[in-house]
Amino acid sequence: MLDPVLRPAAEDRGLRVTGGEAALRGILERARLEDRLICAFGNREREAALEDFGVDLVERFVNVQRVAKRWWRAHGAERPQRRRGRNARNRSGGYSLEFFENGLGLERPKHLKSGNATKRLRAVRDSLVTHKGDWSRLTVTAKGKWTKLLDYNEVDVRNLAALAKRVARGRA
């Protein structure tokens, strides 16, 4: 949990609460000690760690999207269809986590599809600000959004790990 505004929500679910810099330094140190990589789907997390908390993850960081895209193309697998218009996925060329999930048969419940995470996070955060951090005053709807956001993040991490493992093994 990196945003102090979300502390009451995290505490209600029994999540560990720590500052962003300490959390990221701990993750980096563990990656070094255990000779592990820090994986993300894109570079945004690495950039935010450096910009927001002064922690440079570059020595242990892997952009799984970039590696998976290269692997997918090398194996001649079906390429994503290019979209046009407002909802086009131009930056990634259509190689979204959802694309890889579908291609590899990884499951994601329909109510946890991408597109709602930011809205849910904003709703919970705004409610906590409005109620001065009093979790008990949030509506059932706001609390449900927090639960769905946590569930969404769990599925994201599990599916990213599954994708990374399949790429590392060199098979779909």
Side-chain angles (χ1 to χ4, degrees), residues 62-132:
V62 173
N63 175 348
V64 175
Q65 181 187 33
R66 186 174 59 84
V67 177
K69 184 176 173 181
R70 193 176 323 130
W71 169 74
W72 195 265
R73 286 177 170 173
H75 287 82
E78 180 183 336
R79 294 183 184 214
Q81 292 183 351
R82 294 271 185 182
R83 287 184 165 179
R84 296 177 189 239
R86 232 176 92 207
N87 295 323
R89 292 181 263 180
N90 294 331
R91 276 189 17 218
S92 67
Y95 289 92
S96 64
L97 183 56
E98 181 181 7
F99 170 79
F100 289 113
E101 288 170 343
N102 291 336
L104 297 175
L106 300 173
E107 293 186 22
R108 177 178 292 271
K110 287 183 181 180
H111 72 286
L112 301 177
K113 294 284 184 191
S114 63
N116 293 322
T118 304
K119 291 177 194 173
R120 288 177 176 148
L121 179 60
R122 189 175 299 118
V124 173
R125 193 177 190 291
D126 289 350
S127 292
L128 282 166
V129 168
T130 299
H131 296 294
K132 297 179 175 47

Side-chain angles (χ1 to χ4, degrees), residues 22-85:
L24 290 165
R25 289 199 187 284
I27 291 167
L28 181 58
E29 186 57 27
R30 182 174 177 186
R32 285 176 182 147
L33 290 171
E34 296 178 7
D35 194 27
R36 293 178 178 261
L37 298 173
I38 300 168
C39 297
F41 197 80
N43 289 316
R44 180 66 192 123
E45 287 82 359
R46 181 183 55 79
E47 293 165 358
L50 185 59
E51 292 169 15
D52 298 342
F53 301 104
V55 179
D56 192 352
L57 304 174
V58 72
E59 72 180 82
R60 307 296 314 169
F61 187 84
V62 173
N63 175 348
V64 175
Q65 181 187 33
R66 186 174 59 84
V67 177
K69 184 176 173 181
R70 193 176 323 130
W71 169 74
W72 195 265
R73 286 177 170 173
H75 287 82
E78 180 183 336
R79 294 183 184 214
Q81 292 183 351
R82 294 271 185 182
R83 287 184 165 179
R84 296 177 189 239

Side-chain angles (χ1 to χ4, degrees), residues 4-22:
V5 171
L6 297 172
R7 176 181 287 270
E11 288 173 341
D12 184 73
R13 295 297 192 268
L15 300 175
R16 183 175 15 165
V17 177
T18 186
E21 182 181 356

